[in-house]
Amino acid sequence: MRQPLVAGNWKMNGSRASIEMLLNGLKSGIGAVRVAEVAVCAPAIYLSDVQSRLQGTAIAWGGQDLSAQASGAFTGEIAASMLNDFGCKYVIVGHSERRAYHHESDATVAKKFAAARAAGLIPILCVGETLEEREQGVTEAVVKRQLDAVIELEGVTALADGVVAYEPVWAIGTGRTATPEQAQEVHAYLRARVASQDADVAAGLRILYGGSMKPDNAKELLAKADIDGGLIGGASLKAEDFLGICTAAND
Ligand code: PGA
């Protein structure tokens, strides 16, 4: 059985004060969440605060991006070893906002996946199509290309050390969620794609859904056979909403 994972992606939101409040809320409510694994991916500059508050709790934490390089003259970048230094378990790679605004190619994202893995971090590889791509009927071709970049660089077994998140770009932050059927279709496609190369890796791979997931739509999405959790943006900024999604993953 795949253990569900609910991961928050705070993006570039919050302040020291608001994050302290959010973490206190999460800490006091997390006891009721039995089944799902829970993590929050924080802005890097707050990881020290997150670590000191979450250490010893059931909530893991991670970064939102990392450099493909190990160290050196890369101003502004954050290395996998630095995320390790602050106790991160996860790191998001290839979020559509990084792909769109920072021009990260599939090849760059694959290198970041490899860098995370080499450091013992669990990369959460984001894939997903834009609205235009969905309307053109090329959703599967897009997610295949994004997934295959990692498989080509590292081999299919590398996915055993990671997590995939299907995040249709048109559903992110828009309030427009993919229907459970739409999401399941792509999740099943991704799993079949992996299974065509390694059935065991496919069976163990957690594929999260992301895109306007909220407490009131989480249950239906998470009930689908190939949806193994969520990557939550907006709703991860309120303890009550985030915990509501975690609770939905319990059922
Ligand atoms: P959202 O973001 O939940 O606000 O749609 C999800 C994400 O971008 O990871």
Side-chain angles (χ1 to χ4, degrees):
M1 261 307 275
R2 297 182 291 269
Q3 184 187 23
L5 168 65
V6 180
N9 173 11
W10 293 350
K11 309 193 180 184
M12 197 174 71
N13 291 298
S15 61
R16 280 192 106 166
S18 74
I19 285 173
E20 185 178 346
M21 273 174 53
L22 176 55
L23 291 169
N24 286 339
L26 294 178
K27 273 165 71 175
S28 54
I30 196 64
V33 178
R34 301 175 311 274
V35 178
E37 198 179 334
V38 177
V40 292
C41 295
I45 200 160
Y46 295 127
L47 283 171
S48 166
D49 288 358
V50 170
Q51 178 181 34
S52 59
R53 289 196 161 58
L54 292 185
Q55 203 135 46
T57 73
I59 308 172
W61 57 95
Q64 299 175 2
D65 179 40
L66 82 168
S67 173
Q69 312 294 331
S71 68
F74 302 100
T75 303
E77 295 278 85
I78 307 233
S81 60
M82 297 171 183
L83 295 175
N84 269 334
D85 248 356
F86 288 89
C88 288
K89 181 169 180 186
Y90 294 95
V91 61
I92 298 170
V93 297
H95 190 279
S96 60
E97 288 149 17
R98 301 286 321 170
R99 293 179 190 264
Y101 308 141
H102 300 271
H103 311 292
E104 291 189 10
S105 65
D106 295 329
T108 300
V109 172
K111 284 187 198 137
K112 291 186 173 199
F113 187 101
R117 202 175 148 243
L121 293 161
I122 300 175
I124 302 176
L125 170 70
C126 298
V127 300
E129 81 289 4
T130 62
L131 184 59
E132 199 184 3
E133 288 163 339
R134 175 160 281 263
E135 283 169 351
Q136 285 166 1
V138 295
T139 296
E140 290 185 356
V142 170
V143 298
K144 171 177 176 288
R145 194 196 70 220
Q146 294 169 333
L147 180 72
D148 282 1
V150 169
I151 298 176
E152 274 155 29
L153 183 69
E154 290 238 285
V156 70
T157 52
L159 290 172
D161 301 328
V163 172
V164 171
Y166 169 56
E167 297 207 308
V169 178
W170 48 272
I172 295 177
T174 58
R176 194 178 154 192
T177 321
T179 64
E181 292 70 30
Q182 280 175 322
Q184 166 60 25
E185 203 180 335
V186 181
H187 282 234
Y189 171 77
L190 287 165
R191 197 178 307 284
R193 176 84 196 144
V194 177
S196 70
Q197 297 176 56
D198 191 315
D200 289 342
V201 172
L205 180 65
R206 290 186 290 186
I207 307 178
L208 316 183
Y209 168 79
S212 300
M213 198 189 256
K214 308 216 157 26
D216 60 5
N217 62 26
K219 208 170 166 164
E220 262 190 310
L221 285 156
L222 294 168
K224 290 290 177 193
D226 291 295
I227 303 185
D228 308 311
L231 183 56
I232 322 297
S236 72
L237 298 170
K238 276 200 197 145
E240 196 187 331
D241 289 351
F242 187 63
L243 290 166
I245 297 172
C246 298
T247 306
N250 264 337
D251 300 335

